[in-house]
Amino acid sequence: MSTSEQSPLLNGQWRQPPSFYQKTLAFLKAEGEPSWLDSYRWFFFGSWLNVLLLLVPVAAAAHYLNWDAPLRFGFSFVAIIPLARLLGDATEQMSLSLGQTLAGLLNATFGNAVEIIVGTVALFKGEVRIVQTSMLGSILSNILLVLGCSFLAGGIFRPESEFSVTAAQTNASLMTLACITLVIPAAYHASKHVTSPIKGDVVATMSSGSHTDPDEGGQRGLLIISRGTAILLLGVYMTYIVFQLKTHASLFNPPVRRPRDGAADGSAEEVEEEETPRMSIVAAGSTLLIVTIATSTVADFLVASIEETANRFNIPKAFIGLMLLPIVANAGELVTSVCMAMKDKMELAIGVCVGSSIQVATFVVPLLVVIGWCSGHDLTLFFDDFETVAFFVSVLLVSLLLQDGKSNYMEGLMLITLYLVIGMACPALPRLYTRLLGRNLAFSGCLCT
């Protein structure tokens, strides 16, 4: 008996594949994972530190009601602390399902939303120096302060922490390329100005480390170099994403851990307690987006209060952009990377801090250059001699420390020390010290009289 074309195949076992709506509904339900209610309950009520989230609306009220600048600064600064912790929790939960590489990339992307927002707002206001110094300060704080604290925190609990050598060398090489792209505009500017021995004032000004504005011809050349370099860097970053997540994803996998002392002889790997996800992947992604928006908003409040406070106490803008704003903007990366390093997830820690620096240098800064190009704001990649040298020596030290694939507390101390040295050598600090010292002397004189 012949089988008709309408008869079911395999005795009725054939089923119609699920539709796109059914797939989306199953994904949102997160079957086999914690429910939405359990995920959000653990996320918002899992730590006593989340009590400080009550200061987020207080910081908003202080900003919109125009309270005193120190009050706005204090409320905004404290409100960012629990938000940074929540960013770390969401990233950790996503890493349990997506892997450390993709989770680190997502955290770096959401974390750098603060830099993009702050940089764009400052650029539209014409604060080009604030944009430049804040971007460079963000890179330095990530590869020196955040990475140093991660190495130091990991070295407290274990003698050494291991990570993928190939992935670390790839990140270091990309950071070196970004460093070179900042050195070339400075070298171009120096070749246009230092070659004329008659203009001794220009040479003296450049040697002092202050920012000198190039002439019309030099500015045009810097714009051409910066905009062309920005387009190339954006292409390199997009290729790096494909390299990291698709074509060479195996290079970024965590290395096989050596067995601990006293472990079973038959086990080839270290016996570790498997972590159970406390959030579904959809809930973790949604909370990561929500907390990032909240962090960006509070950071905007903090930026406004810092600027007003600086004007009141005569703090130089270069110091604000290079030291203060990056520490605030990178609070999320700092908490996340330190927590991951303490749990011996060094790949995720490095992916957050070094990956964030790479993203700022090869994506955020070029993107702001292109935005300035389209909006009529001339933003270039030309930095001061001090800033260029500080970036160069920082990338050099990080490259040397990452090449062996191991970290300890001593390496973390080296990175933190270099960051503090750069902070003390900031050209804006002598003027700040002079102003503070002058106020103290005047106050002492009033007391004596």
Side-chain angles (χ1 to χ4, degrees):
M1 182 177 176
S2 61
T3 305
S4 98
E5 295 181 358
Q6 281 126 10
S7 60
L9 299 177
L10 300 179
N11 297 325
Q13 298 297 325
W14 179 82
R15 296 180 180 178
Q16 184 178 3
S19 63
F20 177 76
Y21 173 76
Q22 293 174 337
K23 292 181 179 179
T24 305
L25 187 61
F27 179 74
L28 294 177
K29 287 183 177 179
E31 297 179 357
E33 297 180 330
S35 63
W36 284 81
L37 181 60
D38 293 336
S39 299
Y40 282 117
R41 182 187 295 116
W42 176 86
F43 186 73
F44 288 105
F45 300 100
S47 174
W48 62 268
L49 190 64
N50 294 341
V51 176
L52 297 178
L53 290 174
L54 297 175
L55 292 179
V56 173
V58 176
H63 175 77
Y64 290 112
L65 296 178
N66 198 20
W67 291 1
D68 195 42
L71 290 178
R72 286 184 282 135
F73 173 81
F75 287 135
S76 302
F77 187 85
V78 178
I80 281 183
I81 296 176
L83 293 174
R85 174 62 186 268
L86 292 179
L87 281 175
D89 291 341
T91 303
E92 182 182 6
Q93 292 300 312
M94 293 187 69
S95 67
L96 298 178
S97 302
L98 301 178
Q100 299 186 25
T101 301
L102 183 56
L105 176 62
L106 289 176
N107 183 271
T109 302
F110 282 101
N112 286 331
V114 179
E115 280 85 352
I116 296 177
I117 295 173
V118 173
T120 304
V121 172
L123 182 63
F124 287 162
K125 291 181 178 179
E127 299 288 349
V128 176
R129 285 295 295 156
I130 288 290
V131 176
Q132 289 182 321
T133 54
S134 62
M135 293 300 107
L136 181 61
S138 177
I139 298 173
L140 294 180
S141 65
N142 269 314
I143 62 177
L144 295 180
L145 180 62
V146 180
L147 185 61
C149 291
S150 302
F151 284 176
L152 185 61
I156 294 176
F157 295 94
R158 59 194 59 85
E160 284 185 341
S161 299
E162 297 182 3
F163 48 87
S164 175
V165 180
T166 306
Q169 289 179 346
T170 303
N171 292 333
S173 300
L174 197 54
M175 282 300 303
T176 304
L177 173 63
C179 178
I180 294 174
T181 59
L182 296 186
V183 173
I184 291 179
Y188 173 82
H189 177 263
S191 65
K192 290 294 183 180
H193 291 76
V194 181
T195 52
S196 58
I198 300 178
K199 298 181 179 180
D201 54 343
V202 176
V203 178
T205 304
M206 290 185 61
S207 62
S208 64
S210 59
H211 189 81
T212 57
D213 296 328
D215 54 13
E216 183 178 355
Q219 179 69 15
R220 189 183 304 111
L222 286 176
L223 287 175
I224 295 175
I225 296 175
S226 300
R227 291 167 178 174
T229 304
I231 296 175
L232 293 176
L233 286 179
L234 289 175
V236 169
Y237 179 73
M238 298 304 174
T239 307
Y240 171 70
I241 297 301
V242 177
F243 179 87
Q244 185 182 23
L245 299 180
K246 189 172 182 61
T247 61
H248 292 72
S250 59
L251 299 179
F252 295 86
N253 292 332
V256 177
R257 309 296 184 186
R258 294 194 303 266
R260 292 175 178 170
D261 297 337
D265 297 336
S267 64
E269 298 182 1
E270 178 182 350
V271 179
E272 295 182 352
E273 183 181 356
E274 184 179 357
E275 294 189 51
T276 303
R278 305 297 299 270
M279 301 181 66
S280 64
I281 183 64
V282 183
S286 62
T287 52
L288 186 61
L289 177 61
I290 293 172
V291 174
T292 300
I293 295 175
T295 306
S296 302
T297 304
V298 177
D300 187 47
F301 299 159
L302 187 61
V303 168
S305 62
I306 286 179
E307 185 174 0
E308 185 175 345
T309 305
N311 293 333
R312 178 183 299 182
F313 296 101
N314 295 324
I315 301 176
K317 288 186 177 181
F319 177 75
I320 298 175
L322 192 63
M323 302 301 295
L324 294 184
L325 292 184
I327 294 178
V328 174
N330 294 329
E333 287 90 340
L334 177 61
V335 175
T336 302
S337 58
V338 169
C339 293
M340 296 303 104
M342 293 172 62
K343 297 179 180 180
D344 200 19
K345 296 182 179 181
M346 195 55 68
E347 279 77 21
L348 181 55
I350 294 178
V352 169
C353 50
V354 179
S356 179
S357 300
I358 291 175
Q359 196 172 73
V360 171
T362 61
F363 177 72
V364 177
V365 175
L367 179 63
L368 291 176
V369 172
V370 174
I371 292 176
W373 186 7
C374 298
S375 61
H377 299 83
D378 296 338
L379 177 63
T380 67
L381 298 178
F382 166 63
F383 291 83
D384 286 343
D385 295 343
F386 170 79
E387 298 165 357
T388 305
V389 172
F391 187 30
F392 176 79
V393 296
S394 301
V395 173
L396 177 62
L397 179 60
V398 172
S399 301
L400 292 176
L401 296 182
L402 291 179
Q403 65 183 1
D404 60 346
K406 300 178 182 178
S407 66
N408 50 62
Y409 71 89
M410 190 63 194
E411 294 181 350
L413 185 61
M414 295 178 189
L415 294 172
I416 297 175
T417 301
L418 179 58
Y419 184 76
L420 295 177
V421 170
I422 292 176
M424 290 188 296
C426 179
L429 283 184
R431 298 194 299 271
L432 179 61
Y433 293 154
T434 302
R435 291 167 183 170
L436 294 178
L437 183 61
R439 290 188 177 185
N440 291 335
L441 291 177
F443 180 70
S444 301
C446 293
L447 290 179
C448 294
T449 57

